[in-house]
Amino acid sequence: MTSPERASTSDPDLGALFARILPRLAELEGPILQDVGLSMWEYAIVTELATGQALSQADLSKRTRRDPTRLGRHLDDLEGRSLITREAADDKRQRTVTLTRAGRAAYRTAKKRIRRIEDELLAEALTPAQSASLRRGLARLADVCAPDEA
């Protein structure tokens, strides 16, 4: 059995593992998103909006870690395709962003297809229970890594 100290220095770093996994996910997900008409960044944006709560552009920028100028361009494109709406918030300097019916449909279609190919990828190396555990663990890690909402 490996000691915890030895395991910590001989196991690959998370960054190195993700650097090997993320390009494969992008390769698998890219064509799906293209078919649905979304870029990777746009999918990240609509995923945040799919929670159902209207978000300010500032909150959306924080959650997606996209600078406000670039986010604004994505929002212009999404709005131009009738996938989102932006309305003036109580604070007139802010705009609230929500998904439209078409935006929700595009998100659901992409998510369903992405989940299917992710499940296939996970099945190459993990049991269903291990896959579920990995997803739960990554979700908890993502919560810890989320930008502050303050």
Side-chain angles (χ1 to χ4, degrees):
M1 177 142 183
T2 309
S3 73
E5 183 179 301
R6 175 136 192 219
S8 68
T9 58
S10 64
D11 289 345
D13 295 328
L14 288 176
L17 293 171
F18 283 124
R20 291 171 51 193
I21 295 166
L22 290 175
R24 179 69 175 136
L25 287 174
E27 176 186 320
L28 293 169
E29 294 175 6
I32 292 169
L33 293 175
Q34 186 174 8
D35 285 348
V36 175
L38 296 171
S39 70
M40 289 281 191
W41 277 111
E42 290 170 342
Y43 184 66
I45 292 164
V46 298
T47 296
E48 288 298 329
L49 295 172
T51 63
Q53 63 179 334
L55 295 171
S56 72
Q57 286 185 205
D59 287 339
L60 198 51
S61 177
K62 286 178 194 170
R63 288 183 182 207
T64 60
R65 296 179 189 246
R66 195 73 169 153
D67 73 75
T69 301
R70 289 183 184 199
L71 176 71
R73 289 185 197 126
H74 292 299
L75 295 177
D76 289 343
D77 290 344
L78 289 166
E79 188 173 37
R81 296 190 321 260
S82 299
L83 299 176
I84 65 160
T85 59
R86 291 187 280 186
E87 298 176 6
D90 292 338
D91 175 351
K92 298 298 182 202
R93 295 170 295 169
Q94 287 289 333
R95 294 174 79 187
T96 302
V97 185
T98 56
L99 280 179
T100 62
R101 178 175 288 151
R104 285 189 301 276
Y107 168 75
R108 282 192 305 271
T109 299
K111 180 155 180 77
K112 182 178 177 181
R113 291 178 61 194
I114 286 171
R115 181 60 185 251
R116 186 171 39 246
I117 59 112
E118 286 177 351
D119 287 346
E120 290 170 5
L121 179 63
L122 289 171
E124 292 179 25
L126 305 172
T127 66
Q130 290 169 327
S131 294
S133 179
L134 176 64
R135 283 184 187 275
R136 285 190 305 272
L138 288 174
R140 286 192 302 271
L141 183 59
D143 286 345
V144 169
C145 295
D148 292 335
E149 297 297 319

